[in-house]
Amino acid sequence: MAKMNFGGVVENVTTREEFPLSKALEVLKNETIAVIGYGVQGPGQSLNLKDNGFNVIVGQRKNSKTWDKAVADGWVPGKTLFEIEEACEKATIIQYLLSDAAQIAVWPSVKKHLTAGKALYFSHGFGATYSDRTGIVPPKDVDVIMIAPKGSGTSLRRLFLEGRGLNSSYAVLQDATGRAMERVIALGIGVGSGYLFETTFKREVYSDLTGERGTLMGAIQGIFAAQYQVLRENGHTPSEAFNETVEELTQSLMPLVGENGMDWMYANCSTTAQRGALDWWKPFRDATLPVFKKLYAEVAAGNEAQRSIDSNSKPDYREKLNQELKELRESEMWQAGATVRSLRPERNK
Ligand SMILES: NC(=O)c1ccc[n+]([C@@H]2O[C@H](COP(=O)([O-])OP(=O)(O)OC[C@H]3O[C@@H](n4cnc5c(N)ncnc54)[C@H](O)[C@@H]3O)[C@@H](O)[C@H]2O)c1
Ligand SMILES: CC(C)(O)[C@@H](O)C(=O)O
Ligand SMILES: [Mg+2]
Ligand SMILES: [Mg+2]
């Protein structure tokens, strides 16, 4: 474990240099890892583990689209692909990667296979932190660990195939075997993490729920929609409004931020743009600060978790979500976006 200085605060991190894949393979050489669920994280984590040489099987409901997807991805029924309970029985490490709501419903079937010495692995602090709402209370004689990739399972797989890695946080909630820490770090390296930073289950779920509702997904759509509306109300065309709101950000400016930070992106824009951005970022911060404070309070009170449990436990939750995504897709802004994307020269090759 290395100590790294993050803007003046020293934190524990683990990198592939100090914990190479060979060490991870050695630590887990006698383990059977069952990845339960084959939605978004399931494929990314299980395929990365398999390609890295670990002993991994998949547990998924038969007669489901994702069972068929697992078969298409090369998992073999009866050999490396099983019904959820059968996979849990065979496993020494159960990676619980069902949706957070489904984890509640399926918990009794998983719990009965959590015999002494096994490890229960999550990719989110949700189930265990909000145990009063989820009912997920692991037995005391198993390790309870977490690797939470900080991004989509789709990116986890794509970056792995490019020889890169998505960063993940890690935590140990329960160390029953004395091996929980080496198990979790080895799994973090195994699923393809770029580096691992330390957290707790509670800190992970609070920050993750805030981030995805905030700047990563919710706030960004909100601020896009507000600017697009103002431009349209003032007579700008959809293509101009979309380009000035979204396309330039994703195609030109955010890659520069990702590469070298905000000041570097600013420095690569005109002095006119720099003057305006440096003047306006603080009013935007001040306007949104109360919303972020309210959001964090809702997360900490458990209200966001409860809302997610209630809506995503309904039988028709997928149809409802798809309907809301359709509304977003069919809004003028994102329809303009579809046309803009179709005009990117690389799409016409
Ligand atoms: N989506 C991501 O990229 C991402 C990123 C980081 C962490 N996570 C966390 O990883 C975990 C898995 O998330 P996900 O987005 O991959 O899940 P998901 O929503 O894609 O669902 C995963 C699987 O759950 C199955 N499932 C749904 N309801 C079920 C039920 N009642 N019984 C049995 N199976 C059922 C689905 O068939 C699917 O295979 C969650 O804890 C999530 O918070 C997800
Ligand atoms: C990919 C995200 C948003 O980081 C994850 O937290 C999720 O819930 O899907
Ligand atoms: Mg999340
Ligand atoms: Mg997240």
Side-chain angles (χ1 to χ4, degrees):
M1 202 169 292
K3 299 250 180 232
M4 298 287 288
N5 185 331
F6 292 85
V9 178
V10 176
E11 297 183 41
N12 288 330
V13 297
T14 302
T15 65
R16 293 177 188 176
E17 277 76 55
E18 43 177 309
F19 205 105
L21 182 58
S22 54
K23 187 169 167 185
L25 285 163
E26 178 62 28
V27 167
L28 301 178
K29 69 176 180 219
N30 296 322
E31 309 264 19
T32 300
I33 305 164
V35 171
I36 305 302
Y38 208 73
V40 184
Q41 278 298 320
Q45 296 196 26
S46 60
L47 291 170
N48 290 359
L49 283 165
K50 185 167 81 160
D51 289 353
N52 270 334
F54 293 87
N55 179 21
V56 51
I57 59 175
V58 170
Q60 176 57 34
R61 276 183 301 188
K62 243 185 206 159
N63 304 320
S64 64
K65 272 192 197 153
T66 42
W67 174 278
D68 298 342
K69 178 171 159 39
V71 172
D73 284 353
W75 302 100
V76 182
K79 276 194 170 162
T80 54
L81 174 62
F82 302 92
E83 286 275 9
I84 291 175
E85 281 218 29
E86 205 180 341
C88 288
E89 194 192 339
K90 290 183 186 304
T92 57
I93 296 173
I94 296 175
Q95 293 198 182
Y96 205 17
L97 299 183
L98 297 182
S99 71
D100 297 299
Q103 286 178 25
I104 299 171
V106 178
W107 176 241
S109 313
V110 171
K111 192 180 173 190
K112 73 172 171 223
H113 297 290
L114 280 171
T115 49
K118 286 194 181 187
L120 175 63
Y121 164 116
F122 294 92
S123 282
H124 200 6
F126 195 105
T129 302
Y130 298 114
S131 60
D132 51 336
R133 296 166 193 271
T134 64
I136 295 178
V137 181
K140 284 280 166 249
D141 52 4
V142 302
D143 292 344
V144 183
I145 55 184
M146 177 180 70
I147 292 294
K150 292 293 114 185
S152 168
T154 305
S155 319
L156 184 74
R157 182 64 180 159
R158 283 185 185 169
L159 290 174
F160 176 83
L161 292 174
E162 288 170 24
R164 300 163 65 199
L166 197 63
N167 305 321
S168 304
S169 58
Y170 69 90
V172 172
L173 185 67
Q174 240 172 240
D175 183 6
T177 64
R179 293 184 55 230
M181 188 55 87
E182 64 172 17
R183 273 172 147 176
V184 75
I185 299 293
L187 288 162
I189 298 296
V191 301
S193 306
Y195 78 87
L196 299 159
F197 64 98
E198 196 177 55
T199 188
T200 63
F201 274 58
K202 185 170 159 182
R203 277 196 276 132
E204 194 282 336
V205 69
Y206 283 18
S207 58
D208 191 84
L209 293 180
T210 300
E212 66 204 18
R213 281 152 184 72
T215 59
L216 303 178
M217 294 172 69
I220 193 96
Q221 165 60 20
I223 204 166
F224 283 170
Q227 175 170 304
Y228 184 87
Q229 182 181 328
V230 167
L231 288 170
R232 290 288 288 131
E233 282 169 2
N234 284 283
H236 298 270
T237 59
S239 64
E240 184 164 69
F242 188 84
N243 272 297
E244 287 299 348
T245 303
V246 180
E247 188 73 353
E248 178 170 336
L249 183 70
T250 60
Q251 302 306 296
S252 167
L253 303 185
M254 268 301 153
L256 297 179
V257 177
E259 216 174 291
N260 241 337
M262 191 66 86
D263 68 296
W264 193 69
M265 182 271 268
Y266 280 16
N268 280 281
C269 296
S270 67
T271 52
T272 310
Q274 287 177 51
R275 182 68 271 134
L278 289 165
D279 288 344
W280 277 90
W281 77 260
K282 287 177 185 165
F284 279 110
R285 176 197 59 194
D286 296 345
T288 56
L289 194 59
V291 187
F292 283 104
K293 287 189 170 174
K294 182 172 177 215
L295 165 59
Y296 193 87
E298 290 292 306
V299 168
N303 297 338
E304 284 301 308
Q306 193 59 50
R307 178 162 160 67
S308 165
I309 292 167
D310 291 344
S311 58
N312 295 338
S313 300
K314 295 207 173 89
D316 63 345
Y317 81 96
R318 187 56 73 188
E319 290 73 36
K320 289 256 165 64
L321 288 175
N322 285 341
Q323 180 56 36
E324 288 180 70
L325 293 179
K326 182 166 177 272
E327 280 161 25
L328 205 54
R329 183 166 64 246
E330 291 182 352
S331 65
E332 184 195 278
M333 179 169 78
W334 289 109
Q335 285 298 299
T339 307
V340 168
R341 288 195 296 278
S342 75
L343 289 167
R344 288 182 198 152
E346 67 272 21
R347 295 240 167 161
N348 297 325
K349 271 190 197 143

